[in-house]
Amino acid sequence: MIRVGILRGGNSNEYEVSLKSGEMLLTHLPRDRYEPVDILVDRDGVWHMRGLPVEKDKLSRHVDVIWNALHGGAGEDGKIAQELEALGIPYTGSGPFAGALGMHKRFSKEVAEKAGLNIANDILIPNFNSQDELSFEDYMSEAAKYIFKTLPPPWIIKPVSGGSSIGIKLARTYDDLLETLLGQLETEGDILVEEYIHGKEATVTTLEGFRGEDIYSFLPIEIRKPSGDIFDYDTKYNGQALEISPGKFSSTEQKLLQDYARAMHKALGARHYTRSDFIVSKNGIYFIEINTLPGLTKESLVPKSLEPVGSNFKEFIDHVLKLVTDKK
């Protein structure tokens, strides 16, 4: 039996999502081949194994491989991957560099642009520094004026790092823009402001080595938001959006979405599985972001990608783990 540590929790704002991803993995892990070991990282960053605190350098005695089900923060930006490599423990998901690139929405867009994909115009607002001469209010007021002069409305405002659509906002007027920026006082890190691309939202899961393909692209899922709103955290996890799997795209759009998802996975240097988000507009398909450790909850989009192609979550788990253990 292969001992699989399911690493979940963490001290990011995606703690609850990670717990649910870990729960799904613990529930569906094929027990004829794998022995689950629950590893919880609490909100204070303390690691626990089977309910008891554990030193990280002792983990290799108890697990053969770790499934990294952390989302956001150090779990997804490559830092945990770096720690696991230092400990000599094989793990699922992308390595440190790809994780860091994928987590940073501006850097991943630069990768996409170099790979030939369309990206939305944007402006990066550096994190406010209290040592600056300007007050926070004046700083954001100047930023709003610059954005208003540079990018046409409406605008998408989001943290440059993070997942699960946490913190994403839509501003349609200058007053909305300024109010949204002024509401970012507690935000740690830079803010990305993008032009709003009108179109159909799509997401595509990729999986390495599946069904004889180096990088297999599942059928695109179409996301229809209520009243045309944005696909934010509440919409994503409270069942407010209509997720059509497979989505209603033309054959040309479907092929391009699958090709672009493969291209992003490869260009980023990602590993095992990813999920890329796009907007299909009348002016073409635009890359939005890539998720190197996408959610695996009941509400998440990766599990919903499997059934339309005749797969299931247990097969997905087994395949990913074989990608790791077969290379040990």
Side-chain angles (χ1 to χ4, degrees), residues 271-286:
R271 198 173 64 160
H272 302 154
Y273 64 100
T274 58
R275 204 196 79 235
S276 292
D277 300 335
F278 304 91
I279 297 291
V280 180
S281 80
K282 63 181 181 181
N283 296 319
I285 297 175
Y286 285 76

Side-chain angles (χ1 to χ4, degrees), residues 188-252:
E188 295 182 4
D190 302 339
I191 299 167
L192 191 65
V193 180
E194 295 178 320
E195 63 171 330
Y196 181 80
I197 305 296
H198 296 269
K200 294 162 64 173
E201 188 158 344
T203 190
V204 183
T205 297
T206 60
L207 179 59
E208 291 182 0
F210 192 59
R211 296 184 175 173
E213 296 189 23
D214 290 339
I215 303 174
Y216 181 90
S217 282
F218 288 82
L219 296 173
I221 292 178
E222 179 185 351
I223 301 162
R224 295 186 181 177
K225 298 147 290 196
S227 305
D229 290 337
I230 55 174
F231 192 46
D232 60 10
Y233 181 88
D234 289 335
T235 303
K236 181 176 289 187
Y237 290 105
N238 293 337
Q240 299 174 22
L242 178 61
E243 295 158 353
I244 304 170
S245 180
K248 298 183 182 301
F249 301 104
S250 70
S251 58
T252 299

Side-chain angles (χ1 to χ4, degrees), residues 29 44 57 59 76 95 121 140 145 157 182 184 211 224 229 231 251 265 269 273 287-288:
L29 191 74
D44 295 322
D57 59 3
L59 286 174
E76 198 165 351
N121 294 320
M140 287 304 181
K145 291 175 185 175
I157 300 103
L182 290 174
Q184 303 295 315
R211 296 184 175 173
R224 295 186 181 177
D229 290 337
F231 192 46
S251 58
H265 184 107
Y273 64 100
F287 168 81
I288 301 300

Side-chain angles (χ1 to χ4, degrees), residues 43-200:
R43 293 183 186 275
D44 295 322
V46 179
W47 291 44
H48 300 75
M49 185 179 67
R50 297 192 174 99
L52 297 173
V54 62
E55 296 178 21
K56 284 179 272 189
D57 59 3
K58 304 288 177 58
L59 286 174
S60 60
R61 303 178 187 176
H62 304 279
V63 299
D64 301 303
V65 59
I66 282 182
W67 189 299
N68 184 1
L70 298 174
H71 304 310
E76 198 165 351
D77 68 5
K79 293 186 179 67
I80 292 296
Q82 200 167 21
E83 286 191 57
L84 293 174
E85 289 190 0
L87 293 170
I89 304 175
Y91 61 94
T92 65
S94 292
F97 185 65
L101 276 181
M103 190 69 171
H104 194 286
K105 294 178 176 65
R106 190 64 194 83
F107 292 162
S108 62
K109 285 176 67 176
E110 290 176 3
V111 171
E113 189 172 34
K114 289 178 181 177
L117 280 64
N118 296 320
I119 61 171
N121 294 320
D122 62 41
I123 295 172
L124 187 67
I125 306 300
N127 188 34
F128 172 73
N129 187 337
S130 60
Q131 304 302 314
D132 290 343
E133 294 181 4
L134 294 175
S135 67
F136 175 76
E137 290 76 12
D138 289 342
Y139 179 81
M140 287 304 181
S141 178
E142 290 300 314
K145 291 175 185 175
Y146 178 75
I147 293 164
F148 187 75
K149 293 176 182 177
T150 308
L151 282 181
W155 307 275
I156 295 290
I157 300 103
K158 62 179 78 169
V160 77
S161 294
S164 291
S165 301
I166 293 175
I168 185 171
K169 303 289 184 183
L170 172 64
R172 299 185 182 277
T173 67
Y174 174 81
D175 289 341
D176 289 343
L177 174 65
L178 180 57
E179 181 181 356
T180 302
L181 291 177
L182 290 174
Q184 303 295 315
L185 180 59
E186 303 302 323
T187 300
E188 295 182 4
D190 302 339
I191 299 167
L192 191 65
V193 180
E194 295 178 320
E195 63 171 330
Y196 181 80
I197 305 296
H198 296 269
K200 294 162 64 173

